[in-house]
Amino acid sequence: KETPCSTGQLKYYILNIKMYNNLNIDSNLTKHTNLPDLPACFQLSVLPWTPCIYLWLASPFYILYLKRNNRGYIMMSILNRIKTVLGLILWIVCWTDLFSSFHEMSQNQSKPPIYFITPLIVGMTMLLATFLIQYERLKGVQSSGVLFIFWTISVLCAIVPFRSKIDTLRAEGVCDALRFTTFYIYFGLTLIQLILSCFNEKPPLFSSVVTDPNACPEITAGFLSKMTFWWFTSMAIKGYKSPLENKDLWSLNKQDSSELVVPNLLNEWEVEKSKAQSVSPEEEKEEEEEEVLLSKRREVRQPSFLRALLRAFGPYFLIGSAFKLLQDLITFVNPQLLRLLIDFTKQPNAPLWWGYSLAFLMFGTSLLQTLILHQHFQYCFVTGMRLRSGIIGAIYRKALAITNEAKRSSTVGEVVNLMSVDAQRFMDLTTFLNMLWSAPLQIILALFFLWQNLGPSVLAGVALMVLLIPFNAFIAMKTRTYQVEQMKHKDDRIKLMNEILNGIKVLKLYAWEVSFKEKILQIRQKELTVLRKTAYLSALSTMAWTSAPFMVALTTFAVYVTVDEENVLDAEKAFVSLSLFNILRFPLNMLPQVISSIVQASVSLKRIQDFLSHDELNPESVDRRNNASEYAVSVVNGTFSWAKQDQATLDNINVMVPQGSLLAVVGHVGCGKTSLVSALLGEMEKQEGQISIRGSVAYVPQQAWIQNATLRDNILFGRPYVEQRYRCVLEACALTPDLEVLPGGDQTEIGEKGINLSGGQRQRVSLARALYSEADVYLLDDPLSAVDAHVAKHIFDKVIGPEGALKGKTRILVTHGISFLPQVDNILVMVDGRVSEMGSYQDLLKQNGAFAEFLRNYSLEDIIEDDEEEEEFPEDALSNHTDMVDNEPVVNEARRQFMRMLSTCFDSSRVFSHDVCVCCVLQVKFKVYWDYAKAVGPFLSLFICFLYGCQSAASIGANFWLSEWTNDAQHNRTQDQVSMRVGVYAALGISQGVLVMFSSFTLALGKIQAARKLHQTLLDNKFHTPQSFFDTTPIGRIINRFSKDIYVIDEVLPSTILMFLGTFFASLSTMIVIICSTPIFALVIGPLALIYFFVQRFYVATSRQLKRLESVSRSPIYSHFSETITGTSVIRAYGRNAAFVLMSDMKVDENQKSYYPGIVSNRWLGVRIELIGNCIVLFAALLAVIGKDKLSPGLVGLSVSYALQVTMSLNWMVRMTSDLESNIVAVERVKEYSETQTEAPWIVTDKQPPPDWPPKGNVEFADYSVRYREGLDLVLRNISLKVEGGEKIGIVGRTGAGKSSMTLCLFRLLEAADGEIVIDEVKISEIGLHDLRSKLTIIPQEPVLFSGTLRMNLDPFEKYSDEEVWKALELSHLKRFVSNQTSKLDLECSEGGENLSVGQRQLVCLARALLRKTRILVLDEATAAVDLETDDLIQSTIRTQFEDCTVFTIAHRLNTIMDYTRVLVLDKGQIAEFDTPTNLMAQKGIFYGMAKDAGLA
């Protein structure tokens, strides 16, 4: 060999000039010897230059990056000092070489230029490296990737000279001692530098790592740890040992948090908006000229939200794209290596070291590919995560500012959807987005290599692939339309279900369940039909998907062999092509998916953009300046509407409210009282006029808005806590006694919408909030309607009235209560959106106008406005607190339970999420899988597995046949058998395709069957469930079963099972193939399977809990959001926008905190599993090299090309196992709710009462007792009484005496604990529930309407004719209203009857009762929200229409029952008094006391 020190120096010199020739390394020198070596010149030039070129190229970008991202300053550490010193020594070592070359030159030993250039370059590079070491320290980098890669390349490049120098030493001894020594010093130092760069520096000073107790280890993780996601391992182990909790999660990285992400996005969006608005004047002029020609051009340019997103998140995302590019290029290295490997097995005398190095190269490229791919994913997912934070934040901030008109166009549900679904779509898209350019790139590269391999015959295969694209695209399009259709059905079903569950009590009381169940089943049937179509389509596409690669290979090979006699299909060509086809398969499948998800995201983008472009309320519409006028509130010529183009709701309003006075606003239902208050708050569109308000505002809305927070937080509403003032407020609002009852006092967590407070309590909390805020102007929208008379009096005296806590403040009080009017300063009477008169009480009486008329109809002492909504807690401060609650027995028990739960786990934040199903924590039981298999059908399940097995067998068979076919090439017996080879290959492949289709079809059938069965049983059970269940279970939880869990069973679970079976059989067949070709591989499988199993257990355990934590922390975002939207007017009135935005951000961050480790856990798993896959590749290749004498090239190609695919299936198999375990939980949850206990049967056939029962309407209670549930006290004790048919009975009693329980017992919503109720000789406990309930009528306290037509709300079974319905409407005084509507009886009621006023809803309930006209009527006095006239109408209708019926009235206002036949006074669940009203008054007992309170005695 030529060595630099031999005499051929000159010859060497020439060699150097012809460097290029030299780079085509002499293959005899390298490949075909048993001791390979590279020529000296190559060792001196290319090898040392490679790392240098890398570092010089990378450092400018890197330095720029560091300049921008300063993380703080790191103290000089020992590690850092050593690195720096070593860097300097390396520089000295290199330059020693340089100077020695100069020295030799001066001694007239001329050296080739390479001896000067290389040490110079390397030395400079070492200086650069040393500079970077220090620069990174100043910029706070704890572990450097750039340098790590540099040292790695240096060491790798130095290994070759390292060996060849030793060889030379053995052969000729040392000839150049100096360079020999410096080289080994250089090698040793670079190796040490490489080892040192694996260690971490301390975190920078003052960084969050130091201050944050639970910082994410990623920040401090080293480069290697980041690449392999090693830093996540601690969490994986923790999650495996014990269930993860919130405190185990790491805090969110600063740059992912809402406080950085959202403002960043919003700034970009503002820039966009301002761009869109500023059209320069020249353009305007041009446009005007053009306008004549093109009138369409003048559309206002919409600001583009997409641009804002790109500018905010693009740069970070591009880093991920760079990784993707690298990975795409590396993908194509492996097929080339496979070619070399097959080539190697063909040559009998090839040296073994070449085979080994090929095997290790394959391993190395696979490894590199794994690491790079997962870095790319990490960047994409983090971008997605930030996108979601940004979008949610932007939407939330917008929702606080939009006008009512905009709010009307998008319901709460839609906006929550924007947050959940649309933001999620963007998140999903980011992971795919790179495929847009990466897929075409991969396709082009693959085709290029295939062309090299097989020539033009490739086109046949490609043509087939291209034909499959429109096929797949067509399927995707159809599926898309079906999905939309199905979503619509699903939404309808959930909406209806939601209403049904909200009004389940009414359905039970009216015995309407059957009609509604039919409606649900009709929708469900439509849904399943669509689902079936989708399933068949997906079966087709699965077939296309699995048999595509095969069909392509088949056509290509067939064409290749038949086109030309010369073309021989050998192993090299066949298997390299196969692996290239496998690479092709992924981008071709992804493209349609990416495109469809881009389409979806563009729809979402448009929706989000429209929402963010809505008009915002004009904060200037109300003049809030403190101008010194005597009027605190003034409206001049105000005309207001709810939306810009609507007609005015309020017309020509002139109001002046002097500082510190109390103004009452009165008028009939719907005359614009509430609108007036809204106008003052600036919530309406001001069409003309001025409003000014001096000072701050406090607002009490008509329907109290209560947050899901503690009672104290609800009152303080973000103001600092002042003990003294707080106590006074509670006292004034009569809340002190309530606190004694609540388990946590004022620290009790209030449920959503104030579930665990009664109507009156909610209203008083709302009032207390206003009182505590110490504002200047108080707007009170009917705060007294929801509380009892004496409480109302207390509040008026202590808070609102002339002597109350608010005296001296300006108060505007909307009220129905006439009794308080004499005490107010001024009264404003509204009629149809106009101010009809205004003045003091006396003035208005004198004027003898509308107001006087209004009063005269109601003599004063006759009316004490008193109305309570639901009484669930002691409403009144004055009643004795023996029994807590009167109406809704069970609810109240639920509340008690809830309270108990609260008081035990008094960690206020987590009360509501106790829907975290325990089963997630436990291993999901085998029983659940069996349940699902039973629902599918046990035989069908087995058959499906069998089909999958068959299809795998067919595929293995086809590939073995291919390897046999390729071996023909070696034995030169090709041509005679071509047609036979092609035929059998085709037969095997096509049979595989058919089997795939079969198995998908059967799976589709099975999944539809299971979906139908599980939903049916759940629905049946829920309609038969007793009322107590609904009172103790939050509706959201039941709805969740019907929406989320059924959705999982419909769609997610079957596809998971499909994927699982597919990947499982794929991995299995790989193992079988490799073992068949190299049996010794069986030994390796054991340890690998063990590692696989461990990683899989760790991952599944941890990721399942992370998912659980993520879903638990997700719902607060949405519930807080919908809560905010319902309370925007209150939040704005008190000026608390910023605080709420902050709360929302915190909730989003809390959610991302558990989402982030979830992403990383996938990456962690991916790297580990792919490492196992890469090991399989390595062992398959190594074993092929070792046994190359015994193996045919066909088998080598087969086993290695199988191994190259296995990584993917292994990875997916773990994911699918995990998904399967998380999704099968849905079956369990649905099962759990399908097996709750049921109420009595609806119809008992042998005990059916006669059709005209009850003829008289006699009701008898015999020694009757009842309790809400097992183990609770009796609510009614030993009640015995007889009521004759046609009697009118009033039931009175203090709160909690058991009034409502009486009525519930009649309907058997509560079952007797003891005794009987007999109606006309029939014991009600023996007949079916529907037989009983359809013969009684109730007018419930809270009017419940369902969305649908008015007709359906009155008569869901369509029993009555239109005439009867109109008659009922006429008697209930709704005829005028309904006949004025365009659609008459088909008037659409919106959800909960929102488009009717509360009074009208009440009248609809009256109409229902009139239609049914049964002998027994129960009236749960519900005239709370009705003005006095309507109240009178209802009372008179009942007196005339039901005069021959037995009427039970639960009365809150005694004046309504003074003329009843008898009055029943209940006390503590027993009969205290039962007699005619006059006798009771004379007895001077409880009844007399109550009458006296009400001013009737």
Side-chain angles (χ1 to χ4, degrees), residues 400-449:
L400 277 174
I402 56 175
T403 57
N404 272 295
E405 176 185 6
K407 209 192 261 180
R408 211 184 302 171
S409 68
S410 39
T411 60
V412 180
E414 278 172 15
V415 185
V416 171
N417 257 353
L418 283 182
M419 279 190 148
S420 52
V421 182
D422 295 326
Q424 190 67 42
R425 274 196 191 147
F426 270 100
M427 205 161 169
D428 297 342
L429 181 66
T430 47
T431 47
F432 290 149
L433 200 54
N434 281 320
M435 287 307 289
L436 253 189
W437 56 265
S438 145
L441 175 76
Q442 280 180 333
I443 292 171
I444 292 166
L445 282 173
L447 290 182
F448 169 72
F449 286 119

Side-chain angles (χ1 to χ4, degrees), residues 30 38 188 209 218 262 293 356 422 525 540 600 671 676 719 814 818 835 875 906 944 1044 1074 1097 1134 1331 1393 1451 1470:
T30 52
L38 292 168
V209 187
E218 183 190 10
V262 184
L293 310 168
Y356 288 138
D422 295 326
Q525 188 48 53
L540 276 175
Q600 283 186 3
C671 66
L676 178 65
R719 291 202 166 54
V814 173
I818 292 179
V835 179
E875 239 327 326
F906 217 64
I944 290 171
K1044 178 94 185 314
I1074 299 179
R1097 284 322 318 146
Y1134 287 96
D1331 287 332
Q1470 288 164 315

Side-chain angles (χ1 to χ4, degrees), residues 580-596:
L580 284 166
F581 278 132
N582 278 325
I583 292 178
L584 252 185
R585 178 177 159 182
F586 183 64
L588 278 175
N589 278 320
M590 285 304 291
L591 260 185
Q593 267 195 41
V594 175
I595 290 167
S596 80

